[in-house]
Amino acid sequence: MFRSILAGAQKLAVGVLLLGFAASASAENLTTVKTGTLPTLTDAGALIGLAAVDARPLAMAGQGVFVLDAERKAWNRVDATPLPAVRGVASDGARAFVLSGPIESAVVDHVVQWSLDSGTLRSSALPPLPVPLVRAHAALKGDALAVSGADASGRNFVLQLSPLTQEPQWQTLPEFPGGEASSIALQTSAVFVTVAGDGGDRLWRRSADKGWQDLSAAPGKIVPGSARAIGQAAVLYLVRDSTGATKMVSYHTITGAWATLANAGADASVATAWNDGMLWASPGTNGAVVFGYAEIETGKLLLKWLDWVVIVVYLASMIGIGFYFYIRDKHNSTSEFFVGGRSIPFWAAGVSLYAANTSSISFIAIPAKAFETNWTYMANNLTAVVGLVFVAIFIVPLLRRLNLMSVFSYLETRFHPAIRMLASALCIAMQLGSRMSVILFLPALAIATITGIDVTWSILLMGGFTIIYTALGGMKAVIWTDVVQVVVKMGGAIFAIGFIIWHLHGGFGEFASTALAEHKTKLFDFSFDVTKATVWGFLFLVLFDVVLTFPKDQVLMQRVLSTKSDKEAGRSIWAFAAIMIPGGFVFYTIGTALFVFYKTHPERMNPLLPIDATFPLFIAAELPSGVTGLIIAGIFAAAMATLSGIMNSVATLASVDFYEKLVKNPDPGKSVRFAEIMTVAAGLVGIGIALLLSRFDIHSLFDVSIELAGLLGGGFAGAYTLGMFTRRANSPGVAIGIASSMALTLAIWSLKIVHPYFYLAISILLCIVIGYLASLLFPPPTRSLAGLTIYRDE
């Protein structure tokens, strides 16, 4: 049966891929911009500045401050208490901060925040600037406010503070080079300043690790103070070109590419952030002020009928596999439902291990990470293979000989039932909170981007189909659907790379030269900076994240425990390791290819979309009909492979570690029924958390998943290490180590003193050290440790 399924999947993939090569990527502007005008402001005097408070435009003029009414029909004067001397404004469309100073000079020495209260404009002062500035500009992004300018001697300054803290304090950044700054913006944890020069305006960026860098020439003269950060990686500017025309352009902070979005008034001289775009003002006749605006729209690119056919065939095949095993096996024993009757061939278990380890995080977030940075995170895959060798030789045979279904049964045998149940409960919480919810949300984001279906409905669709076939088919359905899903998602991923390179003007040569010139294929970072992902960090992490964590990973170990023998179990790990490296290069290459594509086609990038939506955007906008459906099926496959494993594993833990422990004389049939119910319950809880997650703006879900895994999963991995590699560790000492490691890791997380990649390693290390030392305070174990440690003399 499965050979026919695989053959059918391969034929479908090849057919759609060949069809896809007949189409080509479009080069027209993808971003839709809505432009318009607002009522003219008359008899207000000379315009001083623009801002927006709670999305209400404010015009500061010689005769006072005016606010646009809710119907956008007229400007009304507002009372201001008090009205400062306005020298500049920073606004993000919701808040406004005004630069002010003595009336008799152009110096800026303090900043006030404006808020609208029942038609009255109220102000609250921030701490005075440490250095009075002239020619000042300001920028606002999230919880950061920055001010640029020059002191009396002409030195350039950038000052920054967080106005949301209880006692905000200004910080002075290193002086930026060049001449007079014409604008400042905050984006992607960096400061962007445009500087006027003889050859035209230039853009400079300051980041914490690289300092000030000269990025590129602006496509014209920047309208002073017109910079506005938008989305997660774009800055909007008003630029006056050599013909005198004024345009709204975007600069993408990752690709470094400029794109023209809309025409503005030829005499636009003042601008501010407003809604999803910009509002600008130009002088009119008889002293009037004319207003124009441009708003970026997020259009949806709907699927074609062929895309839906591919997706329906894929989903139907997954449900079919679940029904097949439900009808064939009936699931009268827990062994059949939880570990597939221990009859799975090693190669299928190895492919399933890879499928579970490369979820939608790999399919969406890793290309986004490579698009944003480079391949340094790929070093983790390379070093992980070394750890898997150790796991295959020492750890897997030990646990496989115990014939476990829940890996936490080991902790009861080695230590105490309470440690087993606590570890199992925390594992369930981690899988639902840090894994399943993120894995559900990412493909839902992709589907929403492509089809226009709301994220909520996408999450329900994804979770619902996975619940059905997992509850029906058990572990056999999980593993064999994983095999099909790896074929689908890897085929789609490889095609995406080839499609991008094929449609570059310079082909592979352009791809390679651009990637190398921009250091996008940098693989190893040998620095000793603990706030970054470095080789030393990965080497340190492999010991903890692979060798010491693998034994307590129920999702992965359950596949290993489903094999026919100890030897087959070890071979499944070898198969997993053999697939991991080439698979990793595929997903990181997607991100690099996307970078090259959008650097050469900046007009195809929507500034509003989050970075994690980069690959879904490409799928929706560039790939031909049919191929888009195949890639979406690949996204489904990436998510559903991991989701099904999580659901089955959570159900296994709930049944084996809790139901069968707490219920007297448990019946195997009832245990399976309970596991089926828990499969559905786990799916519903994961769906609920994913829906909650969709309400927040998270810069990188890849980083979030790493943080949560480190905070929730480290303590009990340390318990496994103490149990398998030491004879002296005992129950009370291990309990103290677990509690201490969790508390201390949480404290380190709150201080944010290291990169999130280190949280898991720190938590495990703390548990090992504290747990072992604490064990010395209690008597050594008296029970036999035969077969429970790596030592053979027990």
Side-chain angles (χ1 to χ4, degrees):
M1 172 186 175
F2 296 108
R3 290 182 179 177
S4 63
I5 291 176
L6 284 172
Q10 289 173 335
K11 290 179 181 178
L12 174 65
V14 171
V16 175
L17 295 183
L18 290 176
L19 178 65
F21 273 111
S24 60
S26 174
E28 61 189 42
N29 202 316
L30 182 66
T31 304
T32 303
V33 180
K34 176 184 177 182
T35 59
T37 60
L38 296 180
T40 300
L41 179 62
T42 59
D43 301 325
L47 186 67
I48 301 173
L50 278 178
V53 177
D54 299 329
R56 300 282 301 278
L58 293 175
M60 290 145 269
Q63 301 300 319
V65 180
F66 300 82
V67 62
L68 186 67
D69 62 21
E71 291 78 23
R72 300 187 182 182
K73 292 183 177 180
W75 293 90
N76 301 318
R77 186 190 299 271
V78 295
D79 296 328
T81 55
L83 179 63
V86 178
R87 302 282 183 263
V89 184
S91 178
D92 60 2
R95 300 166 296 165
F97 290 84
V98 177
L99 307 182
S100 184
I103 297 177
E104 64 277 2
S105 71
V107 170
V108 172
D109 58 11
H110 66 279
V111 180
V112 297
Q113 181 176 1
W114 276 359
S115 60
L116 279 173
D117 182 12
S118 300
T120 300
L121 193 63
R122 303 193 182 279
S123 61
S124 56
L126 296 178
L129 298 183
V131 180
L133 301 175
V134 294
R135 302 186 298 277
H137 301 284
L140 180 62
K141 173 73 172 178
D143 62 349
L145 173 67
V147 178
S148 67
D151 66 3
S153 64
R155 291 180 57 199
N156 295 318
F157 279 85
V158 174
L159 309 174
Q160 189 170 334
L161 95 167
S162 175
L164 302 180
T165 57
Q166 290 185 346
E167 297 182 0
Q169 297 292 326
W170 290 101
Q171 294 180 330
T172 303
L173 302 183
E175 179 180 357
F176 64 87
E180 176 183 343
S182 56
S183 72
I184 182 172
L186 300 174
Q187 184 62 283
T188 54
S189 302
V191 179
F192 293 83
V193 174
T194 54
V195 177
D198 295 336
D201 289 3
R202 298 198 63 83
L203 180 64
W204 289 76
R205 176 183 62 195
R206 184 195 180 273
S207 56
D209 56 339
K210 296 182 179 180
W212 287 104
Q213 292 177 288
D214 185 359
L215 297 181
S216 67
K221 185 173 180 58
I222 302 294
V223 173
S226 66
R228 183 260 166 103
I230 192 169
Q232 291 183 339
V235 183
L236 301 182
Y237 294 93
L238 285 187
V239 175
R240 188 168 291 111
D241 63 20
S242 58
T243 66
T246 304
K247 300 178 180 179
M248 186 177 79
V249 303
S250 67
Y251 175 81
H252 200 275
T253 60
I254 295 174
T255 63
W258 298 84
T260 300
L261 300 179
N263 292 319
D267 297 325
S269 57
V270 181
T272 189
W274 189 47
N275 296 334
D276 288 330
M278 298 183 72
L279 170 68
W280 56 80
S282 306
T285 59
N286 300 322
V289 181
V290 179
F291 298 92
Y293 66 87
E295 295 183 60
I296 300 172
E297 298 180 329
T298 54
K300 299 298 181 182
L301 302 161
L302 302 181
L303 298 178
K304 306 297 189 297
W305 67 269
L306 184 58
D307 299 320
W308 285 113
V309 169
V310 174
I311 294 171
V312 169
V313 169
Y314 164 73
L315 292 175
S317 67
M318 297 299 101
I319 299 296
I321 293 174
F323 269 114
Y324 172 80
F325 285 112
Y326 180 76
I327 294 172
R328 195 189 75 167
D329 297 333
K330 302 298 183 183
H331 298 147
N332 292 322
S333 72
T334 53
S335 176
E336 281 290 337
F337 190 81
F338 297 143
V339 289
R342 303 193 193 277
S343 61
I344 304 298
F346 80 90
W347 64 268
V351 173
S352 183
L353 284 168
Y354 177 74
N357 198 59
T358 54
S359 63
S360 56
I361 294 177
S362 300
F363 211 98
I364 299 175
I366 287 182
K369 198 69 177 177
F371 170 80
E372 183 180 8
T373 57
N374 47 43
W375 289 7
T376 52
Y377 281 82
M378 177 64 193
N380 184 46
N381 292 47
L382 301 178
T383 54
V385 171
V386 178
L388 288 175
V389 172
F390 184 89
V391 169
I393 295 174
F394 294 101
I395 294 177
V396 166
L398 187 157
L399 294 177
R400 182 64 178 77
R401 287 194 297 268
L402 297 176
N403 286 324
L404 308 175
M405 281 186 281
S406 164
V407 294
F408 298 107
S409 300
Y410 171 84
L411 294 180
E412 176 178 1
T413 306
R414 177 66 175 85
F415 296 116
H416 191 275
I419 292 180
R420 168 189 179 174
M421 297 182 74
L422 286 173
S424 182
L426 190 62
C427 177
I428 291 173
M430 183 184 70
Q431 293 298 341
L432 295 178
S434 72
R435 290 277 290 166
M436 188 174 179
S437 56
V438 173
I439 291 164
L440 259 173
F441 174 67
L442 277 174
L445 172 66
I447 295 168
T449 302
I450 295 167
T451 67
I453 300 174
D454 186 76
V455 170
T456 297
W457 287 106
S458 298
I459 290 173
L460 293 174
L461 179 68
M462 288 281 301
F465 272 98
T466 309
I467 289 172
I468 292 172
Y469 82 75
T470 305
L472 287 174
M475 180 49 70
K476 284 186 178 178
V478 169
I479 289 179
W480 289 110
T481 53
D482 284 354
V483 173
V484 177
Q485 288 162 342
V486 166
V487 174
V488 173
K489 69 184 179 183
M490 293 305 294
I494 292 171
F495 174 81
I497 297 172
F499 185 87
I500 294 173
I501 295 176
W502 182 269
H503 287 96
L504 293 175
H505 295 303
F508 182 80
E510 180 181 354
F511 166 77
S513 61
T514 303
L516 291 174
E518 299 289 342
H519 307 289
K520 299 301 290 185
T521 57
K522 179 182 179 181
L523 189 57
F524 301 111
D525 184 346
F526 291 98
S527 69
F528 292 93
D529 187 350
V530 296
T531 64
K532 297 166 59 179
T534 66
V535 170
W536 314 114
F538 288 129
L539 289 173
F540 179 69
L541 189 65
V542 157
L543 173 64
F544 297 96
D545 192 24
V546 178
V547 175
L548 304 184
T549 303
F550 202 97
K552 66 94 184 173
D553 193 325
Q554 176 72 20
V555 175
L556 298 180
M557 280 301 302
Q558 201 163 334
R559 288 160 165 82
V560 175
L561 297 173
S562 300
T563 54
K564 300 176 182 179
S565 64
D566 298 354
K567 182 178 291 186
E568 292 274 286
R571 287 177 177 176
S572 70
I573 302 297
W574 288 107
F576 175 29
I579 303 172
M580 177 179 286
I581 292 179
F585 275 112
V586 167
F587 289 113
Y588 281 91
T589 302
I590 290 175
T592 304
L594 290 171
F595 174 87
V596 177
F597 178 83
Y598 285 116
K599 186 175 182 64
T600 56
H601 299 286
E603 71 282 355
R604 305 295 293 171
M605 175 66 75
N606 191 318
L608 293 181
L609 290 181
I611 297 172
D612 279 326
T614 304
F615 191 30
L617 170 67
F618 178 84
I619 295 168
E622 312 303 338
L623 295 180
S625 177
V627 179
T628 299
L630 179 68
I631 304 290
I632 293 177
I635 294 174
F636 268 110
M640 293 168 73
T642 306
L643 291 173
S644 60
I646 292 174
M647 291 180 190
N648 189 268
S649 297
V650 168
T652 300
L653 296 178
S655 181
V656 175
D657 290 337
F658 292 94
Y659 178 80
E660 295 184 1
K661 293 288 292 182
L662 300 177
V663 176
K664 295 182 179 179
N665 301 318
D667 176 75
K670 291 183 178 179
S671 294
V672 173
R673 299 290 88 76
F674 178 79
E676 290 172 346
I677 294 172
M678 289 307 300
T679 299
V680 177
L684 293 177
V685 171
I687 289 172
I689 299 175
L691 292 174
L692 181 64
L693 191 66
S694 67
R695 300 295 184 264
F696 296 93
D697 180 21
I698 300 175
H699 179 75
S700 174
L701 289 169
F702 187 60
D703 291 337
V704 171
S705 65
I706 292 172
E707 290 190 39
L708 291 176
L711 294 174
L712 297 176
F716 290 99
Y720 263 95
T721 304
L722 290 170
M724 298 177 70
F725 294 92
T726 74
R727 301 185 182 96
R728 187 63 179 80
N730 50 46
S731 301
V734 167
I736 293 172
I738 292 171
S740 301
S741 68
M742 292 179 65
L744 292 173
T745 305
L746 187 62
I748 293 172
W749 169 80
S750 64
L751 296 174
K752 300 187 184 301
I753 57 177
V754 298
H755 191 276
Y757 235 90
F758 289 96
Y759 293 156
L760 183 64
I762 290 172
S763 180
I764 296 174
L765 184 61
L766 288 171
C767 180
I768 293 172
V769 173
I770 297 175
Y772 188 82
L773 294 177
S775 294
L776 299 178
L777 303 177
F778 302 94
T782 56
R783 73 189 73 180
S784 172
L785 300 182
L788 298 178
T789 70
I790 63 171
Y791 306 106
R792 299 184 180 275
D793 58 343
E794 299 291 354

